[in-house]
Amino acid sequence: MRSILRAVSLLVLCLLAAAAAAQAQSGPPGAPGQGLITRNSDCSVTITWTQATGATSYAIIAQFNNAVVPGSPFAVGSVVTIRTGPLNAGDYLIAIIALNAAGQTQGPPTSFIISPPCGGNTPPPGPSSPPGTPSLRQPTVTGNTVGLVIDPAGTGGTPSSYDIEAVVQATGQTFDLNIGQPTVSIPNVPAGNFLVRARARNAFGVSGWSPQRLVVVGVTLGSGDMQVTLTWNSTVDMDLHVIEPDGTHVHYANRNGRTARLDFDDTNGYGPENVFVNSGAAAAGNYIIYIVHYSGAVPTTSTITVRLNAGTASETVALFTRQTSAGNPGVGFNVAVVDVRNGIITETMGTRDEGPAFDAAKASAGSR
C-alpha cells in the first residue's frame, strides 16, 4: 500500500511540475541578466546580457543623471548585445527588459559613469557606430506579394541587416522580419491593411525606425496625380471626404468629382476608402481632405495616407492619424490641404461642420 501511495504521490508531483512548466512556458519571460557594460574609445558603451528564458525580444530602460532618458525604453530586437552611440558625460542607470507575447520582465539594474572629455566633444558618427535611420519607400503590391525597398541613411555605420515591422491594423498584431538586403519581396501576404516600417542594424547597434507606410493587400486602389487612402482599426463606419479646388465634394454620396473619384467605400470596418486623381488630371489649387466618423460608438484610430505622383521620381507620401470616439455624421475631422500640382501637403487640425448642404446630399443618398 505504501508503495502504491508513493507512486501516486510521485505521479501527482510530476503532473503538478508539468503543469507549472507549461504555465511558465506560456507566461511572461524569465528575467534577463544584469547588463555588462564595456566602455569604448568613442564615448559609446557596449551592453551585453544573458538570454532570458522564453524571451522573444528585448528593450532597454535608461536614466541619465536621475532622469528618464526621452524615448526610454528602447526596443532592441532579439539581440543580447548592443553598442550605443557616443554618450554625454554623467551618471547612467540601465536595466534590460525581456518581452514575449504574454508580458515582460525587467532584469536587475546596472549603473555606470561616463567621464569627461566625453560630452560636448563626442566624435561624430562614423564606421564604428550604429547606422542612421533609413527611409522606406512606398511598398508595391502585386496580388498577394509585397515589395519593400529600404534606402540607407548615408550617416553612421554601414548597415549589415534590416528589421521590418508590420502591424495588422485590424488587430494590432505585430510581425517582425530581419532581412540581409535593403530589398525584399514577401509572397503570400493575407488580405488586409498593414502599417510597415524599417530600421537598420549592425554590430554596433540599431537605428531609429523609419516613418510608417500603409500597405493594402487584397484590393486594387486607384492612383495617379493624387491618391488618398483611409484605413482604420475598428468595425465602425468611417468616411473619407475630398473637396476639389472648384468646390466639388467627393464622398460616398457623390463618388465622381471633376477630377477626383472615390473607388472604394467601406461601411463595416477597417477600410480602405480611396479617392484618386488620374495622372495629368489634377486641377490647380488646393484639395481639402478630411474624414467623418459616420456611425459606431467605438474609439477608433484612423490612418490617412496622401500619395502624390505615384510611381514617379517625384513621388511624395505623407501619413496622418486621427483619433475619434463615436459616430457623428455632422462633424468632420480635418486632415490636410494638398496643392497637387506643386507637390505641397499641409496637415490641418481641428474639426469642421458639415453644414446644410451636406445634410441635403446625405438625404438624397438615402440611408447607408
Side-chain angles (χ1 to χ4, degrees), residues 307-364:
R307 186 182 183 192
L308 304 182
N309 303 312
T312 72
S314 59
E315 178 173 289
T316 302
V317 181
L319 186 147
F320 307 100
T321 59
R322 294 292 182 267
Q323 311 289 332
T324 56
S325 58
N328 186 343
V331 176
F333 294 82
N334 297 322
V335 176
V337 171
V338 181
D339 182 343
V340 179
R341 289 192 175 182
N342 292 312
I344 301 172
I345 303 172
T346 305
E347 183 175 15
T348 54
M349 306 299 293
T351 58
R352 57 189 297 127
D353 186 353
E354 293 293 72
F358 184 62
D359 291 337
K362 286 190 297 183
S364 64

Side-chain angles (χ1 to χ4, degrees), residues 259-297:
T259 63
R261 180 189 173 206
L262 173 70
D263 59 352
F264 278 92
D265 173 35
D266 187 318
T267 62
N268 58 7
Y270 310 131
E273 296 210 353
N274 190 71
V275 172
F276 71 99
V277 176
N278 282 322
S279 297
N286 290 325
Y287 288 77
I288 298 171
I289 300 167
Y290 65 96
I291 63 172
V292 172
H293 188 148
Y294 187 87
S295 65

Side-chain angles (χ1 to χ4, degrees), residues 41 46 48 51 73 96 119-120 125 129 178 194 204 207 209 336 338 349 361:
S41 59
T46 300
T48 304
Q51 182 82 28
I96 312 300
S129 65
N178 182 262
F194 304 86
F204 304 103
S207 72
W209 287 104
V338 181
M349 306 299 293

